[in-house]
Amino acid sequence: MKKMLFLLGIIFVLASCTHNYISTEEWQNEATQTPITTFTQVITASPSATVIDNSSECLPPIKDFEYTLDVEPPTEAIPLIDKVLPSSSKWQMVLDLPDYSSLELVQTINNRTIFWIYTGGRQFVRYQVYGNDWENGDLY
Amino acid sequence: MIGKMAIYINGPLKSQLKVFHDRENNVWGARYSELDEHEKPPVALLNYYNEQNNKWEPVTLNLDDQDELAIYQIEVDQDGMFWLLVESKDEFLLYGLDPRTMTIKRHLQDHLVKPPFTISNNTIYILAYHTDEGVEPGYDLIEYAINDEQAVWDYVPWDFFHPYSDNPMSSCGLPNSLFVDSHHRVWFGADGWREATGDGSYDWHVIIKDPVFIDIMPGAGKWVWVEPRIMMESTDGLIWFNSLRGTGWVDPVKGKWCVITSYESNVMADRYGNLWLIAGKWLFRRK
């Protein structure tokens, strides 16, 4: 009888340990099933809009919702993520800029299109194009 | 094009000005921070760009304590009026400015307006916080008709504010953009939209967060989901956004979120409908 109770005790302890331990895989699976937020209605189609197929230019997600956002990530090193330019099949490279730049304004005066670009110099530079001659404009 | 020399525009630094153009294609610059005392000469709250002498010229506005003000957002309506959401200490004030006469007038004084706002079809859409007695505190979406200065408002469900904000009353719980698309849907950033049902009521759609916006928080070394900021709608019905993850579009028909580049850029259209962005030092045009 004592042996039986001893064995039952060991089984109980092992069962408790097993229950409390969650492997990384299980933890991630469990977290995946946890909704990141509640929602009342999924994004839906507008009946009057046309269907567009542009999905070929889309980048894949870096990471999925493997865990809730308020949980610290695993301790392995987070990889550097390569920077990706827009697809050359969809986008034309028009102008190589002098430094880090951001597009601030597109201005049109008669047949001139003027791009106001902020550069790393902390000031603006403009690129001016006549008509559709996009690649042969002037920086000024 | 490599090697062309760029001539920089003299005047206030970009870091203090948001540039925009009026209906006659004149360029203006709005200071979006309080006055930097160290900046010489000091940067005015609103500035006009003089093409002839390549200088920014300060604009005189009939507002008190302008050094302590910042223009959080500025939009131009279809009649050429400027609409300024001005940040003053811890509150926001909405002004209408006629650039022809420089007359400025405050609007929606009876509401605690909050950013952001947008203008569509001569109507201003803006959020306001309500604390009416007997009513649960929350946010309203105000529709303000510019022509007759009449406002109507509608309670915004809490689902439209970031659930991960510790304090939903703080500005960080607000959407980062309001946008009205060509189907009159009012987008609350990427959190959802409001759509008229046709019988005088509205459906509120909450968007499932797309994992494509998961990225690494710079400097923090942890994964985050960062809300995309909606900017514009192109003629093909795609709605363009930028985010920490990059720049791209959402197709409202399919509910497809697409990041086309990992570079974060504004997307802008020219008068011909071409779309433009900057990524990796390059100015790109959509083919």
Side-chain angles (χ1 to χ4, degrees), chain A residues 41 58 84 88 108 123 135 137, chain B residues 4 9 25 206 258 261 287:
Chain A
Q41 199 160 353
C58 305
V84 182
S88 58
T108 306
Q123 296 210 22
E135 292 182 282
Chain B
K4 280 204 170 188
I9 296 173
N25 278 312
V206 178
C258 174
T261 172
K287 294 177 180 174

Side-chain angles (χ1 to χ4, degrees), chain A residues 52-80:
Chain A
I52 306 154
D53 183 17
N54 280 321
S55 57
S56 61
E57 64 177 329
C58 305
L59 304 181
I62 304 170
K63 202 83 173 171
D64 213 326
F65 286 124
E66 293 178 353
Y67 35 75
T68 51
L69 297 179
D70 57 350
V71 173
E72 287 295 319
T75 53
E76 77 265 19
I78 293 175
L80 290 175

Side-chain angles (χ1 to χ4, degrees), chain A residues 92-95 127 129 132-137, chain B residues 1 4:
Chain A
Q92 174 192 4
M93 294 171 105
V94 171
L95 174 68
Y127 180 63
V129 176
N132 293 328
D133 196 10
W134 305 117
E135 292 182 282
N136 294 307
Chain B
M1 304 306 299
K4 280 204 170 188

Side-chain angles (χ1 to χ4, degrees), chain B residues 132-190:
Chain B
D132 301 340
E133 193 172 336
V135 181
E136 186 183 357
Y139 285 98
D140 295 319
L141 173 66
I142 295 181
E143 292 176 66
Y144 183 62
I146 290 172
N147 291 340
D148 59 10
E149 300 186 3
Q150 295 296 307
V152 293
W153 53 90
D154 197 5
Y155 179 75
V156 182
W158 275 116
D159 308 73
F160 281 64
F161 300 96
H162 302 170
Y164 42 84
S165 170
D166 292 336
N167 177 9
M169 300 302 171
S170 71
S171 60
C172 64
L174 295 168
N176 60 14
S177 54
L178 269 185
F179 181 76
V180 181
D181 69 17
S182 57
H183 295 278
H184 310 296
R185 292 174 287 221
V186 183
W187 293 69
F188 292 74

